[in-house]
Amino acid sequence: MKRLKKKPNLLTCNTLINGLIKFPSLHSIQLGKQVFYDSIKLGVIPQTTTFNIMILGCCLEGKFNEAISFIGKMKEFGCFPDNVSYNTILGFFCKKRRLKEAGDLLQDMKEKGLIPNRNTFNIVVSGYCKVGWLKEARKVIDMMVKNDVLPDVWTYNMLINGLCGEERIEEAVKLRDEMENLNVLPDVVTYNTLINGYFKCGGSSEGFRLVEEMRDKGVKMNAVTNNILVKWYCKEGKMDEASEKVRVMEESGILPDKVTYNTLINGYCKAGKLGEAFEMMEMMERKGFKMDTITLNTILHTLCKERKLKEASELLTSASNRGYLLDEVSYGTLLAGYLKDGTADKALKLWSEMKKKEIVPSIITYNTIIGGLCELGETEQAICKYNELLRSGLVPDSTTYNTIIHVYCKEGKVEKAFELHNKMVEKSLKPDVFACNILLSGLCSEGMLEKALKLFNTWISEGKIIDIVTHNTMISGLCKEGKLEDAFHLVSEMKERNLNPDHYTYSAILGALTSVGRTNEAEEFMSKMVEVENFQQPSLQIKEQNVKTSEMTEVYDSDSNACSEQIIELCNQGRYKDAMRIFEASNNKGITLNKSAYIVLMEGLIKRRKRLSKAVP
DNA sequence: TTAGGGTTAG
């Protein structure tokens, strides 16, 4: 049509653009945009729907500014943005937890005279739930009722998911009952959310009970249910059961999808079974699922875990040249690898590289860099990134707060630490036992024992969880101030709470006793300490044994070594097909290769995709 | 032909 200079019909254009944008292939979104501009040149007048499809495309690419600019462009063509235009962008902002930008957009929407509909409300509820602001989510639901927009099964499902995210599974189940009473029937998503929630909180038997329940109630399981179960088996290290589950599901007509394969690949990598992970990557492609960003990120993580940072960095570059989409997780993964390796300079360089590519870090990546820099003693740099995070409009989570509170305490800025703690509470984030321990240790090391005791007692009276570290922190604080009797008292309280004193407890007390010359008691404690150490000995031995066995698996026979070396050499020469032949032959002989060989095979599989020409459309 | 929930990577 373009060649014949014929003007296409608007519906044809919309359908074509929509198809391209939703078709998950490389550059198809850019192609969709090309069709949009070509159509205009051919005289087609786009309508709101056309713009909305373009907006979706921009959002899928993560180009939010461009998406917003389309809202402005509509006027030139005599049309106006509608709820769909705004809800699309709003949804993506919420998905990415960029609440500040979402709020600004909502304001703009209202100024344009558009009235939020049920979708708009539901998107806002999902945004609040994603960052754990459940009180705010509830407020939105109240507002919905006031505006005569009744919450539906989507609204409830999101709130249930929010509760599960906070590990408040009992309340989530209660909400499910509540919705049933209001005649909003739970669907497969409700069940999937709750099953996943139970698995997350360690309630696997309740999770499986819900699987039965949904069957009894006639709610059909789907691929997502399957994937949640497979994930659980993987997490438990039950890889045989995980793959058996996939086989059984397949027989019952629920076909594995991309998520299933990625879950299994990750499971095998985590279990150190790299050969099986590689086979699963091959299987995925054979079944017609292209490996994607998540597969790539899984392999990147495995490389980093194996401390093969050079390989990871090379894979990041070459995968990008081969058209894999890199995202902030890809960068965040390598970033974590560098930080763990102690190379802050490389991590910071990668951070700026990511920013230059306009890839926006999520809260997890911010937490990685902030925590990593703190660990390496680069406090100033860490605070700098924290400030950058606050400016970005992302919402800090409890990991962020705990990290910064820890830094403040370490620097003796206890007041600042408490300010942050209060802010955390304000944001309806519940300070956990980590936050408590950090604050207590900050107070004790600044000699503010009274305040520490007050916090400790408040914490207990509120029924919050405390652990051995909490007790040890207080005990050593008391010992440092010479309050030995109080320390003894706390040791017995600790035992009453079924927490066994460990060698930190005893050495704190021992130190205090010797420094005031109570040598007899000190000796008595010493023997107790030895008992504890002896008691710990067997578990230490088991650990050592484990280390040995895992090392043992690294010892391969000469056949294995020869094959592995040959494969690595062939891959290095770019002779992937020959390497595969050796792999298949050794597989048939039942030879297990060493990890490095599997890793080069995995890299090879990713790199097999043709290198893109430099002129990208 | 356009917008909202649950599953995979750190």
Side-chain angles (χ1 to χ4, degrees), chain A residues 354-374:
Chain A
M354 171 178 76
K355 287 278 183 131
K356 222 187 263 166
K357 294 200 170 163
E358 289 182 10
I359 295 176
V360 181
S362 68
I363 187 67
I364 299 178
T365 303
Y366 267 107
N367 286 344
T368 304
I369 194 146
I370 295 171
L373 289 169
C374 287

Side-chain angles (χ1 to χ4, degrees), chain A residues 145-241:
Chain A
V145 177
K146 236 188 251 164
N147 283 290
D148 253 344
V149 185
L150 288 185
D152 60 1
V153 63
W154 291 67
T155 326
Y156 281 106
N157 284 347
M158 286 183 289
L159 201 51
I160 287 175
N161 193 37
L163 287 164
C164 289
E166 303 278 295
E167 310 218 343
R168 290 156 69 179
I169 185 78
E170 300 302 327
E171 289 169 72
V173 175
K174 246 190 220 154
L175 195 59
R176 192 267 317 255
D177 299 336
E178 212 178 295
M179 65 191 271
E180 266 181 332
N181 290 337
L182 291 170
N183 247 337
V184 182
L185 290 186
D187 62 5
V188 60
V189 177
T190 321
Y191 277 102
N192 287 346
T193 310
L194 287 170
I195 294 167
N196 192 43
Y198 268 127
F199 284 160
K200 194 178 159 195
C201 304
S204 53
S205 52
E206 286 91 343
F208 282 108
R209 194 183 50 74
L210 279 180
V211 175
E212 298 289 314
E213 188 185 306
M214 70 190 281
R215 193 175 303 158
D216 295 343
K217 290 205 174 173
V219 180
K220 266 198 165 168
M221 289 170 91
N222 61 12
V224 178
T225 326
N226 178 27
N227 292 338
I228 291 168
L229 294 169
V230 171
K231 181 183 73 168
W232 183 78
Y233 284 119
C234 290
K235 204 180 94 190
E236 297 288 308
K238 299 175 175 173
M239 290 312 297
D240 292 341
E241 273 136 303

Side-chain angles (χ1 to χ4, degrees), chain A residues 369-379 382-383 403-404 407 410:
Chain A
I369 194 146
I370 295 171
L373 289 169
C374 287
E375 198 78 20
L376 296 174
E378 303 275 357
T379 313
I383 299 277
T403 310
I404 301 297
V407 169
K410 224 163 69 182

